[in-house]
Amino acid sequence: MKAIIRASAAIVIISAVLFYAVHLLENSTATSGSGSISVYNWGEYIDPELISQFEEETGIQVVYETFDSNESMMTKIEQGGTSYDVAMPSEYAIEKMKENDLLLPIDHSKIPNLENIDPYFLDLSFDPGNEYSIPYFWGTVGIAYNPTLLEGQTFESWDDLWNPTLEQEVILVDSAREVIGMGLNSLGYSLNSTDLGELREATDKLKTLGPNVKAIIGDEIVEMMRREEAAVAVTWSGQAADMMWINEDIDYSVPEEGSNLWFDNMIIPSTAGNVDGAHKFINFMLDAEVAAQNADYVGYSSPNAEGIKLMDPEVTGDERFYPTEEMRDRLEVYENLGLEMLGVYNELFLEFKMDMEK
C-alpha cells in the first residue's frame, strides 16, 4: 500500500514539474516574440547607450550580435539557426539577399523618421524605392596614414603604397572586395570588373606589394595604427576617423584613381520573429538626435540630413569623410557580381595571401 502511495505522489510531483516547465516555455516564447528583438550588426557599429535608450523607451529588449563580413552574415541568416529581426548589410549583399528571398519588405508607414534621410541616399540602384532596406551609414575605402612616421609622405595615388620605403609598413583590411578592388583601381580598372584578364593582372600586381604588407587584419587595424605599430592602412573611412580621434597625426585620403563608395542599410530578414519590433528599432535609429549621437560615437558618415544638423560642423564639413556629391560621383558602388564571380574574387584574394606567406 505504501509503495502505491509513494508512486502516486511521485506521479503528482512529476506532473506538477512538467506543467511548470511548459508554463515557463510558453512565457519564454511569448517574450521572444513580442518583447525582444535580435539585432545583427558589424562590430563597434552602434553606440551601446542607444540600445539601452531604445529598451527604456519601448520596453523591447535587444539581443545584440556582431559579424565581421557580409558573407558570414548572409550564411548565418540563410541557415536560419537564429531568428534575427534587424541586420545591417552592405549594398551588394542586400541585392544578393533579395535574390535569395532572405528579406521582408519594409512598411514605410511604420517608419515616419524616414523623412529625415537625405534623398541622395534613397532609391539607390541596389534597392529601388527602398522596398527592403533603410540607410544606416555610408563611407569610402581609402588610405589612412601617419605622415610623422613617413617623413611627410602623402597618398594621392594607390601606387604610392608600392613605394619601396614602406617595407613592412602597410596594413590591409581582410576583405576580398576591398583588396582586389584596390588592385583593380590602381590599374585604372573598375572595382566591379568581371574580366578575368584584368583580375589576373590586379592579383599579380598585388603580389608585388607583398614586401610592404605588415598584416591583413580586421578591426585590430585601428589599434595598430593608434599605437603607431604601422604607418599606413588601407581601410574604411570610419575606421580611419576612429584612428584619427585618438592619434591626431593620422590622416586619410581617397586616391585619385577612384575607390569604393559604400552604403550599409538596415534590413529585416525573412526569418524575423518580431517584425513590428524591428520596424520600431529602425524608426528609432532614424530619429535625428539618435542618428547624430550614433554617428558621433561610431565615426562613420550619416545619411540622416536632420541628424547632421545637430553634429559638429567641423566633422560634417570635413570632405575626407563627407565628400561632396561631385566627389562621390567619381567613386564606384559595389555591384552584386553573383556567387560564381564572388568565388573568383575570394580565390584570388586567398592566392595573394598565400603568396605573402612564401
Side-chain angles (χ1 to χ4, degrees), residues 2 18-19 109 194:
K2 286 183 179 178
L18 288 173
F19 175 80
S109 70
T194 57

Side-chain angles (χ1 to χ4, degrees), residues 14-74:
I14 291 170
S15 297
V17 169
L18 288 173
F19 175 80
Y20 183 62
V22 170
H23 178 70
L24 285 179
L25 182 60
E26 287 176 346
N27 280 348
S28 172
T29 302
T31 300
S32 63
S34 61
S36 68
I37 59 170
S38 293
V39 176
Y40 201 25
N41 199 357
W42 297 88
E44 300 183 3
Y45 214 33
I46 194 171
D47 183 345
E49 290 185 2
L50 293 173
I51 294 177
S52 300
Q53 184 179 331
F54 173 77
E55 291 175 332
E56 290 171 6
E57 290 184 8
T58 63
I60 299 173
Q61 299 301 302
V62 176
V63 178
Y64 192 78
E65 289 187 34
T66 62
F67 55 83
D68 57 11
S69 74
N70 283 299
E71 287 69 27
S72 64
M73 177 273 303
M74 283 190 284

Side-chain angles (χ1 to χ4, degrees), residues 24-329:
L24 285 179
L25 182 60
E26 287 176 346
N27 280 348
S28 172
T29 302
T31 300
S32 63
S34 61
S36 68
I37 59 170
S38 293
V39 176
Y40 201 25
N41 199 357
W42 297 88
E44 300 183 3
Y45 214 33
I46 194 171
D47 183 345
E49 290 185 2
L50 293 173
I51 294 177
S52 300
Q53 184 179 331
F54 173 77
E55 291 175 332
E56 290 171 6
E57 290 184 8
T58 63
I60 299 173
Q61 299 301 302
V62 176
V63 178
Y64 192 78
E65 289 187 34
T66 62
F67 55 83
D68 57 11
S69 74
N70 283 299
E71 287 69 27
S72 64
M73 177 273 303
M74 283 190 284
T75 298
K76 200 164 182 182
I77 287 179
E78 196 161 23
Q79 289 174 343
T82 303
S83 178
Y84 296 107
D85 298 298
V86 179
M88 286 76 163
S90 304
E91 67 294 307
Y92 72 92
I94 291 169
E95 280 189 288
K96 189 169 188 301
M97 294 176 83
K98 283 167 58 180
E99 289 178 1
N100 294 344
D101 295 324
L102 294 176
L103 302 179
L104 291 179
I106 292 178
D107 184 347
H108 290 193
S109 70
K110 294 182 177 179
I111 308 180
N113 287 333
L114 186 59
E115 66 181 15
N116 292 337
I117 297 295
D118 183 334
Y120 177 88
F121 300 101
L122 297 172
D123 197 29
L124 297 177
S125 59
F126 60 87
D127 184 24
N130 290 90
E131 187 177 2
Y132 296 98
S133 67
I134 302 296
Y136 185 61
F137 280 118
W138 64 280
T140 58
V141 172
I143 302 173
Y145 59 99
N146 190 330
T148 60
L149 301 178
L150 299 168
E151 298 180 350
Q153 181 177 344
T154 58
F155 293 84
E156 281 77 32
S157 167
W158 287 116
D159 281 341
D160 291 330
L161 293 171
W162 273 261
N163 189 319
T165 64
L166 297 177
E167 185 174 353
Q168 286 291 294
E169 289 288 357
V170 178
I171 306 175
L172 301 179
V173 65
D174 190 6
S175 176
R177 290 299 300 265
E178 278 70 13
V179 174
I180 300 294
M182 179 263 285
L184 288 165
N185 277 159
S186 73
L187 291 165
Y189 300 139
S190 165
L191 48 70
N192 291 308
S193 176
T194 57
D195 184 305
L196 295 180
E198 292 178 356
L199 286 165
R200 168 49 55 196
E201 197 177 340
T203 305
D204 289 344
K205 182 175 181 179
L206 284 171
K207 289 179 181 177
T208 65
L209 182 64
N212 286 2
V213 177
K214 185 183 185 73
I216 302 176
I217 53 179
D219 290 339
E220 309 95 304
I221 203 167
V222 176
E223 280 304 311
M224 287 189 70
M225 288 295 289
R226 281 175 177 170
R227 293 197 298 263
E228 300 186 346
E229 294 176 7
V232 189
V234 174
T235 187
W236 297 286
S237 52
Q239 283 196 332
D242 206 9
M243 299 168 194
M244 294 161 66
W245 179 258
I246 301 299
N247 188 332
E248 294 182 353
D249 288 336
I250 296 174
D251 203 346
Y252 176 75
S253 69
V254 178
E256 57 192 12
E257 298 96 330
S259 184
N260 171 227
L261 176 67
W262 55 261
F263 306 94
D264 287 340
N265 282 21
M266 294 180 278
I267 57 96
I268 301 177
S270 56
T271 53
N274 189 348
V275 176
D276 187 56
H279 280 89
K280 288 178 179 174
F281 183 82
I282 293 172
N283 189 57
F284 171 81
M285 296 309 300
L286 264 56
D287 174 84
E289 291 187 4
V290 168
Q293 179 177 332
N294 203 29
D296 277 337
Y297 180 88
V298 174
Y300 281 95
S301 307
S302 175
N304 194 305
E306 295 303 310
I308 286 175
K309 293 176 183 175
L310 305 176
M311 296 174 64
D312 184 344
E314 279 195 30
V315 173
T316 58
D318 189 337
E319 294 185 353
R320 293 173 297 180
F321 302 103
Y322 283 87
T324 64
E325 196 167 326
E326 181 183 357
M327 296 166 70
R328 287 178 233 158
D329 289 343

